[in-house]
Amino acid sequence: MDFEDDSAGQADTSAAPATNEAEGSGQTPAQRAALVKQILQTIKADKKHHEKAFKRMRRDMQVAMWGAEKDWGEDKYRANIAGRHVKQKTAALYAKNPKATAGRRETLDYAVWDENPQSLMLAYQTIQAGQMAVQQAQMTPPTLDPIFGTATPAQPQLPPGFDQAMALVQDFQQGYQRRQFVTKYGKTLEVLFAYALQQQKPLDFKRGMKQTVRRACTCGVAYVELGFQREYGPRPGLTETLADARARLDHLKRLAHELAEGEIDEDSAERAELEMSVQQLQQEPEVIMQEGLLIDFPQSTKVIPDKLCKSLDGFVGARHISIEYLFTTDEVEELFGVDMKDGYTSYNSNAGSSREISANDVMDDDYEWSLPQEKKAGMVCVWKHYDKASGLCYYVADGYKDFLREPAAPDVFVEDFWPVYALTFNAVESEDELFPPSDVSLMLDMQKEHNRSRQGMREHRDAARPRWVYANGSFGDEEDPLILKNLKPFEALGLNIDPQSEIGKILQSLPVPGVDPNLYATEQIFTDTQLVVGAQEAQFGGVSKATATESAIAANSSASSDGSSIDDLDSFLTVIARASGQILQREMSPEKVTEIVGPGAVWPEMSLADIASEVFLEVEAGSTGKPNQAIEINNWKQILPMLLQMPGLEPTWVLRETLRRLDDRMDVTAAIAAGIPSIVSMNQQKQLAPPQGAQGDPQADPNQQGGEGGNNAPQPPRS
């Protein structure tokens, strides 16, 4: 494989500096710089507006990880009940990937038929009677005209309403075909979406969604961003990509560009890296480039909504949304094909806590174009800015005076314009706070009080440890008390005292206060935790003194709290699935769909309006939680006898549903063969057949031994 002629040439078209495209856009560099500056000012103003909420999120992350805030000493007692609650709630809410089913917009597909089976049956009977009348007329000899002698064929006597019956049946057939087409199209979309979830790399969808649920419990909100990765072209996802060679080719492209510009010396490590990488690439039989749905999980503190946003659910009232990234200058060049020679604002790599320069530190008056050599190895702060009013997506960097990529429409089409979706569990109505409190924030006081209580008990125990006092001069040697202090168990020590003296009279026990456990009880803390976040003491592993009835009531309350969160998660995943279906319907080619789904795939060409309203994906309620197999099997046992009495029931469907509830992976298609009776029927036929050579012998033929059969005959006693 030729790297320069094939892979590199195709990768060169992936990204080009935005300044090269500005010449034909009718914009002057001054106008572009002014627009970039305005966008940066808007982003920084939004970030400063939400800085209080972002600080609260970082505090909650600290508490969820370590069980205390940073100002709580490292040597102090801490029991991380907040982190334990987050883990348990995440496991309860998201145990497996959702099951998405295709739905269609409810429509009236029949113009003539009233969707009543009796009227359809009557129409078929009318048509059948008319066909019989036509056959009888064809069999009847023609009538001869007595005057002209011409033969007149017999006219059939059609039943009343024959034309209406024909129109009704034709309408039914057309509507049925349309429904069958939409059903198969929906099945194709289901298989395609399930395949897209499996292809997510490096963080698969299950781990990514568990991380999203964990973030929502910890920070109060979590986000999912949708994109679409094409075989060639710029990467829409700045942090997540599908498993292919795209990132490697971008890296090699940057090294080749720097070598051509003379920025890499002959003896540099980058030159050796480039040569070995090209050699390895030439030895590979093919370079895999994939296309498909891309699901990214940005951090909660990196998504910056408009300061006028009224609700995170759908971003009501927002005019724009920004997503923040931190890259090195080399990564910026690989992603966007832009060399940051015109200056940028340097960031520390740890841009969440202790950083050299933050976005809030560099405000409007400090907008600067500093040279990169002045801040070597600094990070570049990149923002992806979705602007709904203009319908464009901008890529800008803090301190850089031009766009990193030419402004264009978002990479994917969704109904809500921006393919970013927020998940919250504790949403409340507030005119002052946009971000809802997290579970960690709600139980922060209980976490602090628990730590203080345990720390106080630790200090009290230290204060209550036994101590002894003695009168000065009681020991002949002043070092004896020090030796006595460090005395090991079962060790003998000679003291310089009067042999007639009693050691009990020389050393007196110092009265110390006893430890009152009631002062440090934590039962009330867990009672408040139950009221606030719905987690009772037994769920944290502690032993509660409540009665069985009280524990059952508390468990039901916890289940209700989790049920509300499950509803929120199902709604969120339904929105994600519906938007993903719209993206797949627009971006996937029929050839690629057939390759993934199979030759039976149905993938018509549809307009944007049809995509948004015709067929959509929705998540089955509760499909992400842990399945209760015992309840499902018990319910199936109760409903199965009624189903078996229904006429026309498909046996294969019954087998599939039974195996699904038993969680068995048996392949039904390989086990069933058409035209073969059941094993029970074959055994009965074999028993009814007379054995060879025993016809008419009642001792050998069970069929001639009466209704009891030969198996009930007296048997010889066992030894």
Side-chain angles (χ1 to χ4, degrees), residues 47-77:
K47 187 171 183 180
K48 187 173 183 63
H49 179 77
H50 299 303
E51 185 63 24
K52 180 180 177 182
F54 292 154
K55 288 182 179 179
R56 183 174 69 245
M57 293 179 188
R58 297 187 181 99
R59 179 206 64 190
D60 294 344
M61 286 187 277
Q62 166 73 20
V63 173
M65 174 169 284
W66 302 111
E69 297 186 65
K70 289 185 177 180
D71 56 358
W72 187 255
E74 292 290 338
D75 57 339
K76 292 185 177 180
Y77 188 97

Side-chain angles (χ1 to χ4, degrees), residues 512-573:
V512 293
V515 179
D516 185 2
N518 295 325
L519 295 176
Y520 309 104
T522 59
E523 287 80 4
Q524 296 299 324
I525 296 176
F526 287 102
T527 300
D528 294 341
T529 304
Q530 164 71 26
L531 296 175
V532 173
V533 296
Q536 57 177 325
E537 183 179 2
Q539 293 176 307
F540 294 101
V543 179
S544 176
K545 297 181 180 179
T547 62
T549 303
E550 292 173 343
S551 300
I553 295 175
N556 292 334
S557 177
S558 301
S560 300
S561 177
D562 291 342
S564 176
S565 299
I566 291 174
D567 291 340
D568 295 335
L569 181 60
D570 289 342
S571 301
F572 173 77
L573 290 173

Side-chain angles (χ1 to χ4, degrees), residues 86 89-90 93-94 208-218 222 423 425 569:
V86 170
K89 188 169 183 178
T90 302
L93 295 183
Y94 200 93
M209 277 306 305
K210 289 182 74 71
Q211 184 183 71
T212 301
V213 174
R214 191 180 305 115
R215 284 175 179 168
C217 297
T218 305
L423 172 63
F425 292 134
L569 181 60

